[in-house]
């Protein structure tokens, strides 16, 4: 049986931190219900102490959403943890996500703490959170730039204090895939009590490597992925849920692992999040972009019409898209044009078809895309 990988969705927390995004309570609830239908395991609903609105959102999602763990983020402070625990009270299953930085940069420039004080602060936060739930996730902010021996020490001590999930964020999107793999593998190999916790990947996309890093982290031993729909998030965003899920599925020769995601909900979820956040999906976005299953050049159209697998590795119905699209442009060939004309109900003699094809090429040079109305006019003329 495949090993289970848990999907931790942070669209409503890290995703909502995208510059320019603000979701109302109703919008968060709509997305939350859809994430449950999609089959995520954990929803990070917000950062309850950050504002009364965030507290209310976490509390409402904890009340309304069933069959999923609801998580609230905190700093490693008693007050934050108490407020999060209060917001999460109605949840069927609740998780407190606490922690602090581990890199020299964050310790010196942000936290102004020694390693020893930071470690003690983190351990105390976990002990405090344990009073409210036994599902505690500990984040080590900026792990991607941290000293490995210190990371191992922190992981060991917070697990002793009661942490059950260890989040290893590449907060600044700095690491590259083999490094992130090494970070996870190093924790697996060097922390004696690591069998008592699950490791989690949390990657940012500053250098466009978030998905690759997350997949490498899974190969290194992580069993939870932290993701957002469409990869929205701070700066260049977080790891995209749809990319990681489909990569693990399509490349199951490399990943003998399974999530609980219903992939046929991916496109719908992506479009809902785009509509509600106002963040457009780029046309060439992997898995859910408008062009992801569209073929425009003659050589590709000819191949796909003969056998879809020539140029498509994902069957569009797997993600909830209706079918591949043949887009008619100046680069399209006879096969693509004939196919579309047949779909529109036309059949022609070879001579007549050649005349239409010549006219089609003339028109195609003047427009971005030749649509069905153009074709009908061409045929009529
Ligand atoms: O990127 C990060 O380090 C985070 C933590 C707060 C988990 O989002
Ligand atoms: Zn983050």
């Amino acid at each position: 049986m495949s090993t289970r990988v848990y999907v931790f969705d942070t669209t409503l927390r890290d995703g909502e931190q995208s510059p320019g995004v603000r979701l109302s309570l109703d919008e968060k609830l709509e997305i939350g219900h859809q994430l449950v239908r999609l089959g995520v395991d954990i929803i990070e609903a917000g950062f309850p102490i950050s504002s009364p609105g965030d507290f209310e959102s976490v509390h409402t999602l904890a009340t309304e959403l069933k069959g999923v763990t609801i998580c609230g983020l905190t700093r490693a402070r008693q007050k934050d943890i108490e407020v999060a625990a209060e917001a999460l009270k109605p949840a069927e299953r609740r998780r407190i996500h606490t922690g602090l930085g581990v890199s020299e940069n964050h310790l010196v420039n942000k936290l102004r703490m020694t390693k020893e004080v930071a470690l003690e602060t983190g351990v105390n936060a976990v002990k405090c959170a344990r009073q409210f739930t036994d599902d505690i996730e500990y984040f080590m902010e900026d792990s991607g730039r941290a000293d490995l021996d210190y990371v191992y020490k922190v992981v060991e001590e917070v697990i002793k204090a009661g942490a059950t999930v260890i989040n290893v964020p590449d907060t600044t999107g700095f690491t590259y895939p083999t490094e992130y793999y090494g970070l996870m593998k190093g924790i697996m190999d060097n922390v004696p009590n690591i069998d008592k916790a699950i490791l989690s990947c949390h990657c940012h996309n500053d250098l466009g490597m978030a998905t690759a890093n997350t997949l490498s982290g899974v190969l290194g031993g992580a069993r939870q992925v932290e993701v957002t729909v469409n990869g929205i998030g701070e700066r260049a965003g977080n790891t995209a849920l749809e990319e990681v899920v489909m990569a693990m599925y399509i490349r199951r020769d490399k990943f003998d692992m399974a999530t609980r995601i219903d992939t046929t909900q991916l496109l719908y979820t992506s479009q809902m999040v785009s509509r509600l956040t106002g963040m457009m999906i780029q046309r060439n976005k992997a898995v859910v972009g408008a062009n992801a299953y569209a073929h425009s050049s003659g050589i590709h159209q000819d191949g796909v019409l003969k056998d879809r697998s020539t140029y498509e590795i994902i069957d569009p119905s797997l993600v909830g898209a209706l079918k591949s699209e043949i887009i008619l442009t100046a680069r399209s060939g006879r096969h693509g044009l004939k196919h579309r004309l047949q779909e529109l109900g036309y059949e022609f003699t070879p001579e007549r078809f050649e005349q239409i094809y010549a006219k089609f090429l003339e028109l195609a040079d003047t427009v971005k895309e030749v649509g069905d109305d153009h074709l009908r006019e061409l045929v009529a003329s």
Side-chain angles (χ1 to χ4, degrees):
M1 210 176 74
S2 305
T3 306
R4 176 80 178 275
V5 172
Y6 295 92
V7 176
F8 175 113
D9 183 276
T10 182
T11 306
L12 299 177
R13 199 279 297 171
D14 227 350
E16 215 228 3
Q17 287 176 217
S18 303
V21 172
R22 187 87 210 121
L23 293 166
S24 69
L25 176 56
D26 284 347
E27 290 168 338
K28 285 187 184 174
L29 209 48
E30 192 178 339
I31 292 175
H33 280 295
Q34 180 56 25
L35 291 173
V36 173
R37 275 191 288 273
L38 180 65
V40 308
D41 300 289
I42 303 109
I43 293 177
E44 187 165 51
F47 181 7
I49 204 165
S50 66
S51 72
D54 234 41
F55 179 94
E56 195 195 354
S57 306
V58 175
H59 191 266
T60 307
L61 268 72
T63 310
E64 301 281 328
L65 302 183
K66 305 293 172 209
V68 69
T69 297
I70 305 295
C71 175
L73 183 76
T74 81
R75 289 167 296 186
R77 294 185 187 174
Q78 186 180 339
K79 185 73 187 151
D80 283 36
I81 294 167
E82 286 168 356
V83 170
E86 189 58 32
L88 292 167
K89 224 180 213 164
E92 259 178 12
R93 297 197 295 267
R94 67 192 72 90
R95 173 178 296 180
I96 293 178
H97 188 189
T98 191
L100 79 170
V102 288
S103 68
E104 195 68 19
N105 186 314
H106 277 221
L107 289 166
V108 173
N109 297 324
K110 188 179 104 169
L111 299 168
R112 313 256 151 95
M113 281 181 190
T114 62
K115 283 181 171 167
E116 293 69 30
V117 172
L119 176 56
E120 196 188 339
T121 307
V123 165
N124 287 339
V126 173
K127 286 184 180 158
C128 173
R130 268 311 272 223
Q131 296 172 271
F132 304 104
T133 171
D134 52 15
D135 187 349
I136 314 289
E137 175 164 339
Y138 190 82
F139 69 83
M140 300 182 292
E141 199 176 10
D142 205 18
S143 298
R145 294 189 295 174
D147 164 49
L148 284 182
D149 288 329
Y150 183 59
V151 166
Y152 302 153
K153 181 83 191 139
V154 171
V155 175
E156 185 177 352
E157 294 305 320
V158 297
I159 292 176
K160 275 190 206 154
T164 46
V165 180
I166 303 295
N167 181 7
V168 188
D170 178 26
T171 305
T172 56
F174 177 73
T175 60
Y176 59 90
T178 50
E179 258 177 348
Y180 198 67
Y181 168 89
L183 182 53
M184 288 295 179
K185 185 85 172 63
I187 296 174
M188 293 299 287
D189 292 344
N190 290 287
V191 176
N193 54 358
I194 194 62
D195 58 314
K196 300 200 170 46
I198 287 179
L199 281 181
S200 182
C201 307
H202 180 115
C203 299
H204 281 265
N205 206 30
D206 299 67
L207 292 172
M209 296 190 285
T211 297
N213 281 337
T214 297
L215 294 168
S216 299
V218 170
L219 292 174
R223 292 295 172 261
Q224 179 178 282
V225 290
E226 304 200 4
V227 288
T228 61
V229 176
N230 300 334
I232 63 171
E234 287 272 6
R235 307 183 309 279
N238 288 54
T239 304
L241 181 152
E242 60 280 1
E243 293 177 13
V244 169
V245 167
M246 288 313 291
M248 287 203 298
Y249 179 72
I250 296 292
R251 295 309 309 271
R252 48 197 185 280
D253 57 320
K254 293 269 176 245
F255 295 86
D256 185 18
M257 292 161 204
T259 66
R260 216 168 48 95
I261 296 295
D262 173 359
T263 61
T264 64
Q265 293 286 326
L266 284 172
L267 191 62
Y268 181 76
T269 313
S270 157
Q271 288 172 355
M272 172 191 280
V273 168
S274 172
R275 172 172 55 83
L276 295 176
T277 58
M279 289 192 71
M280 302 279 289
I281 306 164
Q282 69 196 57
R283 291 188 70 85
N284 60 332
K285 165 84 180 62
V287 182
V288 291
N291 288 356
Y293 308 97
H295 305 275
S296 143
S297 83
I299 294 173
H300 286 215
Q301 288 177 348
D302 182 51
V304 165
L305 289 170
K306 286 175 176 151
D307 189 320
R308 199 187 55 74
S309 68
T310 50
Y311 288 100
E312 256 181 27
I313 57 162
I314 308 174
D315 179 339
S317 66
L318 265 180
V319 301
L322 289 178
K323 60 183 173 72
S324 323
E325 266 184 283
I326 297 292
I327 306 292
L328 295 177
T329 69
R331 261 92 48 222
S332 300
R334 289 177 175 76
H335 198 165
L337 176 64
K338 189 175 277 174
H339 172 82
R340 187 68 200 135
L341 287 170
Q342 278 169 349
E343 282 187 333
L344 294 175
Y346 298 111
E347 283 290 349
F348 299 104
T349 61
E351 297 73 33
R352 176 79 177 116
F353 177 76
E354 283 307 315
Q355 288 171 344
I356 292 176
Y357 182 60
K359 291 271 178 213
F360 161 80
L361 287 181
E362 275 172 32
L363 173 67
D365 265 337
T366 65
V367 292
K368 282 199 174 71
E369 193 179 318
V370 179
D372 292 348
D373 286 345
H374 288 131
L375 290 181
R376 288 192 189 93
E377 278 170 32
L378 260 182
V379 170
S381 70

